[in-house]
Amino acid sequence: MSLSIILAVVLGIGVGYFLIPDCFFSYTGIITDIGLCLLLFFAGMDIGKQKGVFKDLKKMGFRILLVPLMIIIGSIFGSIVGGFLLKMPINESGAVGAGLGWYTLSSVMLTNYSTELSAIAFLTNVVREIIALIVVPLIARYIGYLECIAPCGATAMDTALPVVSRSTNSQTTIISFVSGVILSLVVPILVSIMIKI
Amino acid sequence: MNYTVLVYFLLLALGAIISHKGLISDNFSKKLGPIQNFCLLFLLFTMGVRIGLDKKVISSFFQIGAKATVLAVFSILFSIILVRLVRNMVLRDEGEVNEP
């Protein structure tokens, strides 16, 4: 899937650069809006299938919601601090951070706002996922199990879950999954809010 | 809350409720993954087209990559620090903690 994602983006860049006339640019906005609505509806269906999440939440207590909450605040604030060093506007850096590692959705959501920001969001969240997969075992070893969930962001429920599971224990794996589901739910809302600030 | 956020939230919630209540058939449920992948790849292709059409973005691609790395590192660092701050509250009463 990762290869397909990169291929789709690279193919699109090639087609846009070499084949399509500039006047096509305005139509891509409408196509993106319709496609995004469909994708969110199907993503919701996928999340609704995870029936165990609410049982896990009740079992472990609602205090585990502090984990996704801290990841949201840390990701957005960290991104704003990084953006400040790069002289980026707060709303743009904050919106990139609000992607929480879900690079496909955040970049597509920002594509109508600015193509450059969309590319930054895509690469930022791809880099985040790559770093997460590398550092999770190190964080588990030298810092703590719970902190392993932080770099994964929204991918804590899917791509990064096997790494978290291998590096930590069953309790952390459940928290990771619940955290990933919650973060995936809030990404579209947070990105839309942050970019309008 | 602006209109776009509300639409996104309603679509997500509607999808989640339909699926959670079991209103979709097993057959459709199995096809959900491939349908999502198709939508996603199509959207990413469209995003790529927009990037390709924007010559300014193409010419500053490496600069964008450097910016992306800085943003990713800071996002990760601050989220780790904040999760660290609440770890004792989250893990209290839990017996299965086996950490360094």
Side-chain angles (χ1 to χ4, degrees):
Chain A
M1 185 62 192
S2 305
L3 187 66
S4 319
I5 286 169
I6 292 165
L7 274 177
V9 177
V10 172
L11 191 67
I13 293 174
V15 168
Y17 191 78
F18 294 109
L19 299 176
I20 291 181
D22 288 354
C23 61
F24 186 76
F25 192 84
S26 55
Y27 298 111
T28 55
I30 304 162
I31 297 170
T32 306
D33 282 341
I34 296 169
L36 193 56
C37 286
L38 280 172
L39 185 68
L40 284 170
F41 179 66
F42 292 129
M45 282 188 164
D46 222 15
I47 291 168
K49 277 166 45 182
Q50 321 290 342
K51 294 191 167 77
V53 173
F54 293 104
K55 278 182 195 160
D56 290 338
L57 257 176
K58 278 181 194 164
K59 193 176 145 199
M60 299 189 78
F62 282 87
R63 62 181 184 273
I64 66 167
L65 293 178
L66 280 171
V67 176
L69 181 67
M70 290 299 117
I71 294 173
I72 291 168
I73 297 170
S75 299
I76 294 175
F77 185 69
S79 192
I80 288 173
V81 172
F84 179 74
L85 297 174
L86 297 166
K87 298 189 171 67
M88 282 174 74
I90 287 178
N91 69 321
E92 293 188 2
S93 54
V96 171
L100 304 171
W102 192 352
Y103 53 89
T104 48
L105 184 67
S106 57
S107 55
V108 169
M109 285 184 75
L110 293 170
T111 190
N112 286 349
Y113 175 82
S114 146
T115 319
E116 185 179 348
L117 192 64
S118 167
I120 293 174
F122 182 78
L123 287 177
T124 300
N125 290 297
V126 166
V127 171
R128 180 175 181 154
E129 186 174 326
I130 294 167
I131 294 176
L133 296 176
I134 296 167
V135 300
V136 162
L138 298 173
I139 295 173
R141 191 164 175 187
Y142 297 108
I143 301 175
Y145 285 175
L146 199 65
E147 291 83 350
C148 286
I149 304 168
C152 309
T155 64
M157 66 178 265
D158 44 46
T159 331
L161 191 65
V163 187
V164 173
S165 171
R166 267 207 315 271
S167 309
T168 64
N169 55 17
S170 59
Q171 181 196 26
T172 313
T173 306
I174 295 169
I175 299 175
S176 174
F177 181 74
V178 172
S179 175
V181 171
I182 290 162
L183 294 178
S184 301
L185 265 172
V186 297
V187 168
I189 298 157
L190 288 175
V191 172
S192 307
I193 291 173
M194 285 309 300
I195 201 64
K196 297 262 165 69
I197 284 176
Chain B
M1 194 181 273
N2 64 56
Y3 176 73
T4 323
V5 181
L6 196 64
V7 170
Y8 289 162
F9 179 74
L10 286 175
L11 283 167
L12 260 179
L14 186 67
I17 291 166
I18 288 174
S19 165
H20 194 74
K21 297 272 181 197
L23 297 176
I24 54 171
S25 66
D26 286 347
N27 197 23
F28 184 76
S29 187
K30 280 176 196 160
K31 286 177 187 160
L32 207 53
I35 293 171
Q36 271 196 86
N37 286 345
F38 176 77
C39 284
L40 186 62
L41 293 176
F42 180 71
L43 278 171
L44 288 169
F45 174 77
T46 313
M47 186 192 87
V49 169
R50 285 178 73 95
I51 293 173
L53 285 169
D54 196 328
K55 306 294 182 278
K56 201 181 112 202
V57 172
I58 294 293
S59 62
S60 56
F61 203 74
F62 288 105
Q63 198 189 342
I64 288 172
K67 275 186 182 177
T69 307
V70 171
L71 294 176
V73 167
F74 274 90
S75 280
I76 288 176
L77 269 179
F78 277 84
S79 46
I80 292 173
I81 291 166
L82 289 191
V83 170
R84 179 83 184 171
L85 289 177
V86 297
R87 75 187 313 275
N88 289 337
M89 273 188 270
V90 175
L91 294 175
R92 67 169 190 213
D93 308 329
E94 299 290 348
E96 203 195 328
V97 185
N98 178 25
E99 297 196 24

